[in-house]
Amino acid sequence: MNILILGSGGREHAFAWKIAQSPLCNNLFVAPGNSGTATVAENVNLSVTHFSDIKTFVLDKKITMVIVGPEDPLVQGIHDYFLNDEALKNIAIIGPQKAAATLEGSKAFAKAFLHKHNIPTAAYQSFNKDTIAEAYVFLEHLNPPYVLKADGLAAGKGVVILDNLHDAKTELKAMLLNSKFGTASDTVVIEEFLDGIELSCFVLTDGNNYKILPTAKDYKRIGEGDTGLNTGGMGAISPVPFADDAFMSKIEQQIVAPTIKGLQNDNLPYKGFLFIGLIKVGDQPKVIEYNVRMGDPETEVVLPRLNTDLVQLFKAVAEQKLDTITLDIDKRAAATVMLVSGGYPEAYEKEKEIVGIETISKSIVFHAGAKLQNTKVVTSGGRVMAITSYGDTYQDAIKKSYQSIEKLKFDKMYYRKDIGFDL
Ligand code: AMP
Ligand code: GLY
């Protein structure tokens, strides 16, 4: 089988690393890929949102399966594009159609879905510029801190949490009236603040059946002790120690099963990954958000723990036979630590040579914002590489990643030294 992965991050390197191990895969391509994917697959210079270019490539290389890494092409309807094209309609696409991808593309849509299907989540209301006066009144009736969310995709920056009412009103005005996040903040969701510890639950579904993959916890803030600006993710561990059987059973019964049933009832076809961002409030899991893709860097700890052949799993998704598969999960823990460019998530320099990669033997190096320049690997993004290790416990795994990182270097390299600190 010839397979194409769309995307260029650590997540896509992890997909490529895993798929390259499958006997079912003949030729593997990643578009656009990075220096890591180039070691296990062929990189192709295509944009993930130029569907007609992707079509030409897919037909030329006789691709029969496409795995969509990031949300953008899904929210823009790549799966529908394939289904509506006579030459492409039988190609397996891993990722939901546009209607279901709206669960990530619009927070107001996701909240309405959660509400309709009685899935536990924070109380909320959504507002636009015509209802800003009502939004102020709604804020006045909430307790601080105040959670404001731009409805649309805002590159992970659209959630703002503020401690006082005055700042919350100022921010709301900037979002609704001054287009702080462009059209993404034409609608704003205001919700109740939930106090608890976060975790991520990953589900693979064929629309009828589902499999729950290992849980993970990521560390989003740039600074140690979860301080400073939000990032795409600075590290992750799997499994999540506090997600025991009793808690997982609540997640499955109260959240996963009703979500899959809700998708069916609302006629939202779904073949792909669903990433459910959760928060544990007391003993109760509540949904913070849906993403219609895998997480990054969570993929870099979830896939290494999956012993099952990923291509076989994706084939079952495409054929809606996921019920015939039993997942085989590695009992060991996995941890990953992200190396980032100094300055990230604000301005940072690029094209710094990364040295020491070939000396790493006890960890897996997943490249993210890294590219080949002549024969050298240089930085090309904020999040540069994820260093993943296994361990009998998550502490062992983290320790191994930090030992490996000692051998890696680039100018202004930064990483958090406290991954797992809160567990
Ligand atoms: P989101 O983009 O929806 O994942 O939100 C980004 C982050 O904001 C989450 O990972 C949480 O840390 C935080 N957050 C979002 N909604 C809430 C909420 N209702 N209560 C507390 N924290 C929240
Ligand atoms: N690590 C969070 C995300 O992928 O959205």
Side-chain angles (χ1 to χ4, degrees):
M1 186 186 275
N2 294 341
I3 300 175
L4 171 66
I5 300 169
L6 297 180
S8 61
R11 168 181 52 209
E12 288 75 20
H13 185 190
F15 275 130
W17 167 84
K18 181 75 182 153
I19 289 173
Q21 298 169 35
S22 170
L24 297 171
C25 177
N26 297 116
N27 296 299
L28 180 60
F29 302 92
V30 186
N34 60 35
S35 47
T37 61
T39 64
V40 286
E42 186 180 323
N43 285 349
V44 197
N45 193 12
L46 286 174
S47 154
V48 299
T49 48
H50 282 177
F51 299 164
S52 58
D53 292 351
I54 294 171
K55 171 180 174 173
T56 308
F57 180 79
V58 158
L59 294 177
D60 181 43
K61 297 291 180 187
K62 300 192 166 50
I63 304 284
T64 54
M65 179 180 284
V66 179
I67 293 112
V68 187
E71 63 277 15
D72 268 333
L74 295 165
V75 172
Q76 291 181 33
I78 191 167
H79 196 149
D80 313 65
Y81 178 89
F82 272 65
L83 285 176
N84 293 330
D85 188 298
E86 212 38 51
L88 301 176
K89 67 179 187 195
N90 293 320
I91 293 170
I93 306 287
I94 303 303
Q97 291 170 52
K98 187 174 181 166
T102 312
L103 285 176
E104 180 163 358
S106 162
K107 296 204 186 277
F109 178 85
K111 293 298 287 191
F113 177 92
L114 287 160
H115 216 68
K116 178 175 174 190
H117 299 292
N118 281 316
I119 300 167
T121 188
Y124 83 106
Q125 271 189 45
S126 44
F127 301 94
N128 59 37
K129 68 176 182 353
D130 299 325
T131 54
I132 191 163
E134 290 151 53
Y136 288 151
V137 175
F138 186 69
L139 279 174
E140 283 159 13
H141 286 91
L142 287 176
N143 294 319
Y146 303 93
V147 183
L148 307 182
K149 299 185 172 186
D151 176 57
L153 294 183
K157 300 198 171 76
V159 176
V160 186
I161 300 180
L162 297 154
D163 286 326
N164 76 67
L165 185 61
H166 177 264
D167 291 350
K169 287 183 174 175
T170 306
E171 179 67 24
L172 180 70
K173 200 170 145 203
M175 286 167 98
L176 285 178
L177 302 185
N178 302 329
S179 303
K180 176 162 180 189
F181 297 104
T183 54
S185 62
D186 283 353
T187 297
V188 172
V189 168
I190 302 179
E191 62 179 49
E192 163 200 16
F193 180 82
L194 298 175
D195 199 6
I197 187 159
E198 288 179 55
L199 73 156
S200 306
C201 170
F202 299 96
V203 180
L204 183 64
T205 180
D206 61 16
N208 295 330
N209 312 285
Y210 65 83
K211 296 284 172 195
I212 299 181
L213 301 170
T215 53
K217 183 169 194 334
D218 83 337
Y219 291 81
K220 287 207 180 87
R221 303 291 201 93
I222 189 72
E224 275 148 28
D226 283 344
T227 54
L229 294 172
N230 252 322
T231 71
M234 297 294 292
I237 56 125
S238 175
V240 178
F242 61 83
D244 56 14
D245 288 350
F247 191 65
M248 285 312 293
S249 144
K250 279 187 193 166
I251 292 176
E252 177 158 17
Q253 284 164 28
Q254 299 175 20
I255 293 169
V256 177
T259 296
I260 302 301
K261 216 166 174 39
L263 290 169
Q264 291 174 329
N265 289 347
D266 293 357
N267 196 22
L268 298 169
Y270 207 116
K271 288 183 178 180
F273 291 101
L274 180 65
F275 160 175
I276 312 179
L278 298 169
I279 188 161
K280 181 174 183 264
V281 184
D283 277 334
Q284 177 61 47
K286 295 193 179 195
V287 176
I288 294 253
E289 63 167 350
Y290 288 117
N291 294 302
V292 298
R293 53 173 174 84
M294 278 299 287
D296 193 352
E298 293 93 328
T299 308
E300 291 95 301
V301 289
V302 171
L303 288 189
R305 297 191 58 231
L306 181 71
N307 293 329
T308 313
D309 184 322
L310 191 57
V311 179
Q312 186 196 4
L313 209 49
F314 287 157
K315 247 176 120 251
V317 167
E319 294 163 2
Q320 295 194 294
K321 288 183 185 157
L322 210 43
D323 54 327
T324 63
I325 305 242
T326 307
L327 290 187
D328 179 7
I329 305 297
D330 196 316
K331 293 275 183 292
R332 290 174 297 172
T336 200
V337 178
M338 198 50 99
L339 306 182
V340 307
S341 300
Y344 170 81
E346 296 186 283
Y348 55 85
E349 294 165 27
K350 294 184 190 174
E351 309 208 338
K352 306 288 187 190
E353 184 182 355
I354 304 159
V355 295
I357 300 170
E358 69 293 337
T359 67
I360 307 295
S361 56
K362 297 202 168 88
S363 305
I364 311 168
V365 177
F366 290 119
H367 298 212
K371 65 176 185 184
L372 278 174
Q373 198 172 64
N374 304 316
T375 53
K376 292 175 179 164
V377 178
V378 301
T379 65
S380 63
R383 292 194 298 163
V384 174
M385 41 189 54
I387 314 304
T388 296
S389 312
Y390 295 101
D392 291 332
T393 62
Y394 72 86
Q395 292 96 330
D396 290 342
I398 294 169
K399 207 162 128 194
K400 268 195 217 155
S401 285
Y402 284 131
Q403 284 166 353
S404 294
I405 290 170
E406 298 276 304
K407 301 179 177 170
L408 290 165
K409 223 167 92 185
F410 58 87
D411 185 33
K412 301 198 173 71
M413 175 174 111
Y414 170 79
Y415 59 96
R416 268 180 69 167
K417 295 174 188 67
D418 67 341
I419 298 305
F421 81 98
D422 54 343
L423 298 171

